[in-house]
Amino acid sequence: MKPRHPQARRWPRHVPFAALCLVFLASLPGVQAAQAPARPGKAAIAAAHPLAVAAGEEVLAAGGNAFDAAVAVSAALAVVEPYASGLGGGGFWLLHVADGQRDVFIDGREVAPGAATATMYLDARGEVIKGASISGPLAAGIPGEPAALAHIAEHYGRLPLARSLAPAIRLAGEGIPVHERLQMGLRFRRPAMEASPALLEVFYPGGKPPAAGSLLRQPDLATTLHRLGREGFDGFYRGPTAAALVEGVRAAGGIWSLEDLAGYRVLEREPVRGDYRGLRLTSAPLPSAGGIGLVNMLNILAGYRLEQLEPAVRKHLLIEAMRRAYRDRSLYLGDPAFSRPPVEQLLSPFYAAGQRVSIRLDRATPSEVLAPGAAGGGTGSDTTHFSILDAEGNRVAGTLSINTWYGAAFMPPGTGVLLNNEMDDFTIKPGVANAYELLGAAANNIAPGKRMLSSMTPSFLESERGVAILGTPGGSRIITMVLLATLDWADGGDAHSMVALRRFHHQFHPDVVEYEVGAFSEAEVAALEALGHRLELGTRGYGNMNVVTWDYATGKVDAASDPRSAGEAQVY
Ligand code: DON
């Protein structure tokens, strides 16, 4: 992709002095013409599956706003991408309420059950019990998505929850066409699924893997969604659904209690904010590491004139910024209700200036030279992100997850709910890597009621040019994907280039730059290796980004879905 640097362009000689003065005046605060227009007048949805986009469209057409559409899209994704997110998992919904220009972050992250302990995945000798935090009900945190959907509908939506859930209930009851990703995940997780007869019954009808294009029905999930729609929070966290969840979990060795479910609380949080070259970033606060990492990397990069540097040097600096932000992620971050991560320091431009001092232009910094810490990888699209703008200017960036493919690969009988394996996002044991090669520190140790650290980074970018709503799945790579897309938008890119651009990633540990085909030219590979970077070409692309943009000057609303996957983007 060709880099664009509008900021770096030179004025042609023939531009008269008076015209330059006008341009200067127009750039002063208060004189600037490109203020946010009152409303876009158009809506847009970008999500990982066309049926989820259609669910959102149906709810918008019924008089719903972006928040109702977010509920509809989230619930539909639970049905059409059961391997990625759902009622048995959690997520983050970043909302912008046009009336009052308010941003709020809805934290529907899972929490550790009341009986959880810091050593629950270790045997008597203190060794990690293989797979215990990945498969089966012991791997599952108490879900947050149902509570978040009820909360969003009640406090921000215009339609009853039951109306916004209607498309998902229909899809679960009538069936969805079996698609490639669904089949792929089933093959991958089949061994773990053997321990969950209720799950096999749904996903291996008649004992066989479902054929492509055949209809997959999820009647129990339809009932569970219906109950949630009718009774809100209580319809999932109390009564028959809660009883079936707890019974199923405990019968298979899990530790959930009815109190854990009834005690779950959605939290509204202040988003993380940052500024980069006239761009205002609004993103995910703890328990996500996303917003903090993103702002820190941008603060580091703001000290360079990136547009004037050779592409290889520019990429070298990005890698060094990634390295430093991911080091701090593993050392310091965790649920702020249980420790006091130094958030203010990590967000400070002065801190970033200190980090810059340790960056050499002529050499990669070996990670081991920076004090200990570790982070981890993670691929794929076994999590989901959608972006929504409505005609009034309300926005939602939602990233939802049950963690790895098909979560814990466990379904409590009679619920249709696939449980998450998000407990694996905690520090299972210091020094031992988890599913994403994640190591962590005490700040992310397991404790009852605690939220596990996340990388999910639903974000808004705003400048005089307009707004971008973005995010992606991809484990710890999420934060660097959102960074690259942010820099692309800052350089004049659009929704389509942001989702398509070739990605590269460094996460401090392992000390390797992973990159997609096309992310580096041959000359850049040679230059980066000469600086001392170890490069690893990924065998396939990663991420599944969905972006919606609104250009203030032209009024254009645009949307794009990642070409690596099978999502859809629509403007209405
Ligand atoms: O919260 C997190 O950071 C992870 N559970 C997200 C997992 C994910 O994105 C998987 N997709 N590739």
Side-chain angles (χ1 to χ4, degrees), residues 109 329 378-383 401 403-404 422 425 436 453-456 473-476 478:
R109 183 69 162 164
R329 175 200 200 277
T379 56
S381 48
D382 32 334
T383 286
S401 184
N403 200 22
T404 65
E422 220 81 59
D425 276 349
Y436 301 105
L453 188 61
S454 173
S455 301
M456 295 187 290
S476 66
I478 290 172

Side-chain angles (χ1 to χ4, degrees), residues 228-297:
L228 175 67
R230 201 179 55 206
E231 296 167 35
F233 180 94
D234 284 358
F236 186 90
Y237 294 87
R238 295 194 172 93
T241 297
L245 287 168
V246 170
E247 200 184 312
V249 161
R250 296 189 80 95
I255 55 172
W256 289 15
S257 71
L258 289 172
E259 293 71 37
D260 287 335
L261 284 169
Y264 183 84
R265 291 292 172 266
V266 170
L267 298 176
E268 289 206 352
R269 298 184 187 270
E270 192 57 36
V272 160
R273 312 233 185 224
D275 294 290
Y276 177 76
R277 284 170 53 193
L279 208 66
R280 172 121 269 227
L281 174 86
T282 304
S283 190
L286 289 173
S288 173
I292 294 168
L294 201 51
V295 170
N296 179 228
M297 290 188 282

